Amino acid sequence: MKIDFPAPLSRFIVFEGGDGAGTTTQMRRLDETLSRAGIAHWMTCEPTAKPEGLLIRRILSGELPRDPATLAHLFAADRNEHLRGEDGILEHLSREEVVVCDRYVLSSLAYQGSACGPELPALLNSGFPLPELLLYFDLEPAASIERLGDRESLEIFEELPFQERVRSAYRAAIARYSDSAMRIVPIDASRPIDEVARKIAEAVGSALGRSLS
Ligand code: TMP
């Protein structure tokens, strides 16, 4: 069946991956790389620091138990505000900035898809425009859990059987989007930080039509 995907947004770049895959560290590295190259950019993430995102954080910490479908709606509401709200993604793109977002639609398809089945997150996320470039950080779930081991407290999704489901759901979502105009670059997140940073700079440079190395 042919799927009609929303058109991708130029200069919009998204990092995706299971917990502990290292996207936060690589967001910092890419921020430095783009600054050095003198490229106007905005680094952002989901869940956001807006009220919708802060509510989500309280649910993820286990402080507020909620039905998985409620969480799917909240992630979509947070995303909508992040995209279309004041000082949001569309506003930054309209100022010709490069926008890099740690997690977006595929996180909902992978996580909420694993928590409450694929239909609801697919429906809630079908209208969001895609990024032009998606970097998927792939890491064995056992290795992600080992990396998370240093943290004092874990969030509700940070356990091995769930991370295994999330990885399969990511793979299924990526296969589904392989016919879309969004470019998907897999990143081997088990590699050393500098090597991963170089690979990301190469992919982002190629999307922006300039060398970042
Ligand atoms: P992070 O800030 O460490 O990436 O944690 C965010 C958590 O929220 C992570 O476990 C993934 C999860 N998440 C979802 O379940 N659905 C979503 O749509 C997003 C953006 C994140």
Side-chain angles (χ1 to χ4, degrees):
M1 187 182 72
K2 177 147 175 17
I3 307 170
D4 285 327
F5 294 103
L9 296 170
S10 295
R11 281 175 283 101
F12 182 31
I13 296 162
V14 166
F15 286 9
E16 288 284 1
D19 288 276
T23 57
T24 312
T25 305
Q26 293 299 335
M27 285 288 283
R28 250 191 328 267
R29 294 291 296 261
L30 183 58
D31 186 14
E32 290 161 8
T33 303
L34 292 171
S35 296
R36 258 198 318 274
I39 296 173
H41 63 285
W42 186 52
M43 308 300 287
T44 186
C45 67
E46 293 185 4
T48 67
K50 295 179 181 223
E52 296 81 355
L54 296 178
L55 176 57
I56 290 173
R57 287 278 174 207
R58 293 177 64 197
I59 299 169
L60 293 177
S61 72
E63 180 200 340
L64 290 178
R66 287 292 181 272
D67 183 77
T70 305
L71 194 52
H73 281 88
L74 288 173
F75 273 116
D78 188 41
R79 181 159 303 130
N80 190 63
E81 207 44 47
H82 191 205
L83 182 73
R84 304 183 218 276
E86 202 181 327
D87 197 34
I89 294 169
L90 293 179
E91 192 178 315
H92 282 270
L93 290 173
S94 75
R95 289 190 220 138
E96 304 289 301
E97 292 170 25
V98 170
V99 174
V100 188
C101 187
D102 191 355
R103 301 194 176 283
Y104 187 63
V105 164
L106 254 71
S107 280
S108 282
L109 301 185
Y111 284 78
Q112 280 61 61
S114 299
C116 61
E119 292 83 10
L120 181 65
L123 179 72
L124 293 172
N125 286 279
S126 60
F128 293 119
L130 301 175
E132 76 164 305
L133 174 65
L134 183 138
L135 296 148
Y136 171 60
F137 289 54
D138 190 32
L139 186 64
E140 283 287 338
S144 354
I145 292 298
E146 205 178 302
R147 285 187 184 179
L148 293 171
D150 302 340
R151 296 213 196 144
E152 260 175 32
S153 62
L154 293 180
E155 294 186 332
I156 54 172
F157 295 146
E158 295 174 338
E159 41 119 66
L160 186 57
F162 189 78
Q163 290 296 320
E164 280 168 347
R165 294 222 296 281
V166 165
R167 192 188 201 201
S168 311
Y170 262 126
R171 289 179 165 177
I174 284 169
R176 187 168 166 268
Y177 279 95
S178 60
D179 284 344
S180 75
M182 164 172 75
R183 184 160 170 248
I184 302 173
V185 175
I187 300 288
D188 179 352
S190 69
R191 305 298 304 158
I193 290 175
D194 285 344
E195 186 182 323
V196 172
R198 269 197 304 279
K199 174 119 205 240
I200 291 170
E202 226 174 82
V204 171
S206 136
L208 301 179
R210 49 186 292 181
S211 167
L212 292 180
S213 37

